[in-house]
């Protein structure tokens, strides 16, 4: 596997499904991606805010592995970085295998802490029919596998650019598995 690195970065000031490619994004501690509609200390995803707008925002940054795009393209789902609404597209790291609380050092100074899995929703099918099912699978024990990336909070701020390395810091044992957030 290639050295873990950032493939692309994205943001959108509106609650659009896809996000726009940027030369760089700035992560702000406790808030998320500067200028992104999902940035904030409390929940910003519309469905969650409608239920309880005072909930802490555990979905400040969405990270998605480029390997998923490879898999989707091979299954006749033409999707590209940013199409699925992620802020950071990675390569060379198994995001889905990380434990809750893992920290990703992005570039020279930014650090995000993984809070959980992105739960694929029907918006994927509105974007492209069959895409939601393509982001779900079953493991050998029959458990549902959500492949649509991970969510994180910003611990340390800084600029993040494509091509920069990613260093993983795994928390001490026992590890908590990722659950949807």
């Amino acid at each position: 596997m290639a050295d873990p690195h950032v493939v692309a970065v994205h943001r959108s000031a509106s609650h659009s499904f896809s996000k726009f490619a940027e030369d760089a994004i700035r992560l702000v501690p406790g808030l998320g991606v500067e200028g992104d509609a999902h940035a904030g200390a409390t929940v910003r995803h519309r469905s969650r805010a409608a239920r309880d707008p005072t909930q802490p925002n555990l979905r400040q940054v969405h990270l998605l592995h480029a390997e998923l795009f490879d898999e989707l393209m091979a299954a006749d789902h033409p999707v590209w970085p940013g199409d699925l609404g992620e802020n950071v597209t990675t390569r060379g790291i198994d995001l889905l295998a990380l434990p809750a609380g893992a920290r990703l050092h992005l570039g020279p100074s930014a650090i995000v802490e993984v809070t959980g899995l992105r739960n694929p929703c029907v918006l994927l099918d509105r974007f492209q029919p069959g895409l939601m099912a393509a982001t779900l699978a079953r493991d050998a024990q029959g458990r549902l596998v959500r492949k649509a990336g991970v969510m994180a909070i910003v611990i340390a701020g800084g600029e993040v650019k494509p091509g920069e390395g990613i260093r993983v810091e795994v928390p001490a044992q026992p590890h908590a598995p990722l659950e949807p957030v």
Side-chain angles (χ1 to χ4, degrees):
M1 192 175 270
D3 287 338
H5 63 279
V6 175
V7 172
V9 294
H10 310 89
R11 70 178 171 167
S12 176
S14 70
H15 282 276
S16 57
F17 181 75
S18 297
K19 294 188 184 285
F20 305 101
E22 301 284 346
D23 292 333
I25 56 173
R26 177 159 300 284
L27 300 184
V28 180
L31 296 177
V33 178
E34 184 176 82
D36 192 83
H38 296 109
T42 56
V43 66
R44 293 293 188 257
H45 286 76
R46 290 185 287 193
S47 63
R48 294 169 193 278
R51 286 192 301 258
D52 179 2
T54 65
Q55 295 176 76
N57 188 1
L58 301 178
R59 299 166 57 101
Q60 294 172 359
V61 180
H62 176 201
L63 298 102
L64 188 61
H65 48 295
E67 292 83 357
L68 178 63
F69 293 113
D70 300 341
E71 179 184 327
L72 293 172
M73 291 289 257
D76 292 327
H77 288 287
V79 290
W80 307 97
D83 281 352
L84 301 184
E86 79 277 9
N87 299 111
V88 179
T89 310
T90 67
R91 185 170 290 280
I93 178 171
D94 187 353
L95 295 173
L96 305 179
L98 295 172
R103 290 187 173 190
L104 302 176
H105 297 251
L106 306 170
S109 61
I111 303 171
V112 298
E113 183 173 293
V114 177
T115 56
L117 295 167
R118 176 186 182 192
N119 197 20
C121 70
V122 296
L123 293 178
L124 290 169
D125 281 343
R126 290 183 193 157
F127 180 74
Q128 192 177 109
L131 195 53
M132 183 171 159
T135 62
L136 297 169
R138 296 271 174 194
D139 67 12
Q141 291 76 37
R143 295 178 297 227
L144 186 64
V145 176
R146 294 166 176 88
K147 301 187 285 184
V150 298
M151 306 307 287
I153 58 173
V154 180
I155 301 300
E159 191 172 76
V160 180
K161 298 178 186 175
E164 292 182 324
I166 301 172
R167 183 173 60 82
V168 179
E169 181 184 345
V170 178
Q173 294 278 2
H175 291 157
L178 293 178
E179 298 292 336
V181 292

